Amino acid sequence: MFLRELDAPISRIRGAGPAASRALAETGISSVGELLCRYPRDWEDRSRRIPLKNFNQGPVCTVVKVLAHDWFGAGRMKTLKIHVEDESARAVLVCFNRPFLEKQLIPGERYRLWGRFSYKYGELQAALFEVEPVQGPTEGRGEENKKIGRILPVYPLGGDLKQGTLRRLIRRALDQYVPSLEDELPAEIILRDGLLSKGEALRAIHFPASMAELELARKTLIYEELFYLEMMAGKRALERRMGPERAVDHSRAGEFSPLQRRLLERLPFSLTPGQTGAAAEINQDMAGPYPMARLLQGDVGSGKTLVSFLAVLRAVESGGQAAIMAPTELLARQHAENAARLLEPIGVRPAFLTGNVKAAGRSRLLAALTGGEIDLAVGTHALFSKDVVYRNLRLVVVDEQHRFGVTQRQAIMAKGHTSGISPGTPDLLMMSATPIPRTLALTVFGDLDVSVIRDLPPGRKPVKTHLAKESNEAKVYDFVGRELAAGRQAYFVYPLIEANEGDLKDAVSMADRLTREIFPQYPAALIHSRVDDEEKRYIMESFRRGDIKILAATSVVEVGVDVPNANCMVIEHAERFGLSALHQLRGRVGRGTDQAYCFLIYSDRQDSAGGVLTGEGKTRLKVMLENNDGFVIAEEDLKLRGPGQIAGIEQSGYLSLGIADPVRDAAELARARTDAFAVLEKDPGLLEPEHRRIAAVLEKAPPFPAVGL
Ligand code: ADP
Ligand code: MG
């Protein structure tokens, strides 16, 4: 049996009563398998002897002889003192609230002792200590519960659960079930890397005989987890390639198609090397025999939209339809406008579809999509509402992909499967300006191909970033004032729409101050998530045209908005924003050829809770000050926050790893990936006898969220 199949209820464990079952259920454990996967959060090494005289090297762990009892204080405050000695020194156990120890610790007898000692009143004393009888080697029953002289697991608790209960139940479960557990890793790998068997590893992760054994158990379980993670990613990638093959179009794979060339000729600039490279990879995929599943990563402003348009042209040219999906109405509209400007003149018929398109217009539009009179649908998730039917959806582009959940991405992909004249999996292009560090990309997007645009269009100057204390904000306003006077535009960003206390600046009241007090001569507007979509659109258009000079906002301006003439970004209470948000916000400026500036204003008021610059806030601002490269910033973010917190990873439940950490265990991850992919390369169906085990484990594996599709 595999551990993941071990679904016997807790009550099957000898000695587990209903109270224990209930307490475990409260912390989410209902089966023996789940119990054994509740790994310790720490291990206390009580295996090494530390005699009394070495009390300052850590907790003492020794065997003592009881010398005498003694009492101090009087009445109810009377406290027992027990004098003990080992071969190195004498000491005193101060038994606050433990008068019963008088009967348990008998003078002349020997006991195991663990405790934290210090010198007080001229004696070596401990009030925090544990004792247990020294037992002979034959007394096995007591051995299993002994807490001194071994490495003790420390479990994460919750509810009514007690350390003692968990230790006892896990030990019994190990005894009862480990003998029937099968290895999940292939035997060659266990042998090659000198890993433990599954049973040994489980036993040792809970009750290691030595720190070296613990290390080996961890190594085994981490590797096993990563191996199957990569195995699943590899299988998904394979499955994509196992559908019916498409006709391969070798002649055109390597070059731009006629429609693509027409678009490129009309542009006032040429593609950057990064864009050219990504477009070539996409062309290869789209001409290839299997559906594309590609992640296009590029920093804000690197020109991903244009690359996706090139992909759209290829789909349209081959008689298909394309859909571009964006997370917000604002961004979808911007793409639709760009499509109308760049693609319509060369014969592509675009349409714009969001939840806001009204009934009559909507049904006309849907009919046109079904009839194939529309080549490109641009919109929000409305693109895959139930009533939307495509005639022949060949390409799906998902912009700012991390803003969508797995199910949303699946829903739009299904449109290609279920409808149209030639159902099949559409090509998928996901785009992200949240650079995903390589280590993480391998885990999270293990089944996707990745293109990266590393360069920015020529002429872009790196944004100059300045830190300013809130008390120096007037200087920042002066600076921005001079840029405004020179005809530029500015963003002012706040962490809150409206503050409930007076302490924090918020978008609403600052919009007011900006217009009345600070820059009365310039038209300003306010935008945040509660402004309705029509008004948002109107404001953004006015800002883009330059009718509005100042935009006061919350982080809604974070995503994809493109206004080249805006060259100042002022972020107030910058210490309250995450690194990825700060980077995205800063990316709103520096999209034209003028020098752009980003001011990070932090609160230096000592009196307000959270207003003081804390350690992590300070580190974030420093990272922003020193780095422009989104990939470097993402790596720093990862170090500061851990993978679960990286934008787009936690919401979608991508990573539910038990013991491995793809960042810390990056080397193991790479090895596991190589191993898993080598197996699949040799034996894609896992049919060889030596791969039966892997196939069997995968069959039992809990469904892992499909990321790409
Ligand atoms: P992002 O990758 O952040 O989505 P966009 O696609 O919005 O970036 O592009 C940012 C801006 O750069 C747009 O105004 C676009 O027209 C412009 N642009 C794209 N490619 C180039 C290029 N090769 N040379 C100059 N400007 C470009
Ligand atoms: Mg974009």
Side-chain angles (χ1 to χ4, degrees), residues 269-272 275 299-305 457 460 562 591:
F269 49 73
S270 43
L271 295 184
T272 63
Q275 285 172 313
D299 217 336
V300 281
S302 60
K304 296 184 290 296
T305 316
R460 302 266 174 88
D562 192 24
R591 297 166 82 91

Side-chain angles (χ1 to χ4, degrees), residues 304-305 331 335 399-400 560 591:
K304 296 184 290 296
T305 316
L331 195 56
H335 287 327
D399 194 16
E400 307 289 343
R591 297 166 82 91

Side-chain angles (χ1 to χ4, degrees), residues 609-664:
V612 187
L613 199 51
T614 61
E616 214 188 292
K618 205 183 227 157
T619 313
R620 286 198 295 264
L621 297 187
K622 195 159 163 275
V623 169
M624 287 299 293
L625 199 59
E626 290 168 358
N627 297 285
N628 265 308
D629 184 333
F631 283 91
V632 178
I633 291 174
E635 293 282 0
E636 294 294 331
D637 202 19
L638 199 58
K639 277 190 225 148
L640 278 175
R641 301 201 292 168
Q645 302 294 315
I646 293 286
I649 289 178
E650 83 276 35
Q651 308 96 301
S652 335
Y654 287 135
L655 289 181
S656 50
L657 295 178
I659 189 168
D661 172 339
V663 179
R664 181 197 62 202

Side-chain angles (χ1 to χ4, degrees), residues 525-687:
L526 168 68
I527 195 166
H528 53 72
S529 57
R530 295 212 299 260
V531 173
D532 77 39
D533 285 341
E534 243 351 83
E535 192 179 342
K536 250 189 224 160
R537 184 171 70 84
Y538 176 78
I539 292 172
M540 280 318 296
E541 266 172 21
S542 312
F543 189 61
R544 200 149 62 163
R545 275 200 310 270
D547 297 347
I548 289 174
K549 298 293 180 193
I550 296 170
L551 200 58
T554 57
S555 55
V556 289
V557 288
E558 183 186 323
V559 175
V561 182
D562 192 24
V563 183
N565 189 50
N567 77 328
C568 290
M569 167 63 68
V570 181
I571 306 176
E572 303 222 40
H573 300 293
E575 75 280 2
R576 297 191 149 238
F577 290 83
L579 261 183
S580 129
L582 289 173
H583 179 64
Q584 293 289 323
L585 284 170
R586 184 170 61 183
R588 296 301 112 225
V589 297
R591 297 166 82 91
T593 44
D594 299 317
Q595 179 61 57
Y597 304 91
C598 175
F599 297 95
L600 303 172
I601 301 183
Y602 61 91
S603 171
D604 55 350
R605 285 176 287 186
Q606 297 290 321
D607 56 347
S608 66
V612 187
L613 199 51
T614 61
E616 214 188 292
K618 205 183 227 157
T619 313
R620 286 198 295 264
L621 297 187
K622 195 159 163 275
V623 169
M624 287 299 293
L625 199 59
E626 290 168 358
N627 297 285
N628 265 308
D629 184 333
F631 283 91
V632 178
I633 291 174
E635 293 282 0
E636 294 294 331
D637 202 19
L638 199 58
K639 277 190 225 148
L640 278 175
R641 301 201 292 168
Q645 302 294 315
I646 293 286
I649 289 178
E650 83 276 35
Q651 308 96 301
S652 335
Y654 287 135
L655 289 181
S656 50
L657 295 178
I659 189 168
D661 172 339
V663 179
R664 181 197 62 202
D665 307 324
E668 278 75 16
L669 178 65
R671 222 156 33 88
R673 185 175 176 82
T674 309
D675 287 344
F677 280 50
V679 168
L680 287 170
E681 181 112 329
K682 264 210 331 244
D683 180 15
L686 300 173
L687 302 171

Side-chain angles (χ1 to χ4, degrees), residues 183 185 190 194-201 204 213 216-218 220:
D183 278 335
L185 279 174
I190 295 186
L195 301 177
L196 297 177
S197 74
K198 182 69 184 239
E200 289 166 336
E213 194 192 53
L216 199 53
R218 280 172 49 88
T220 302

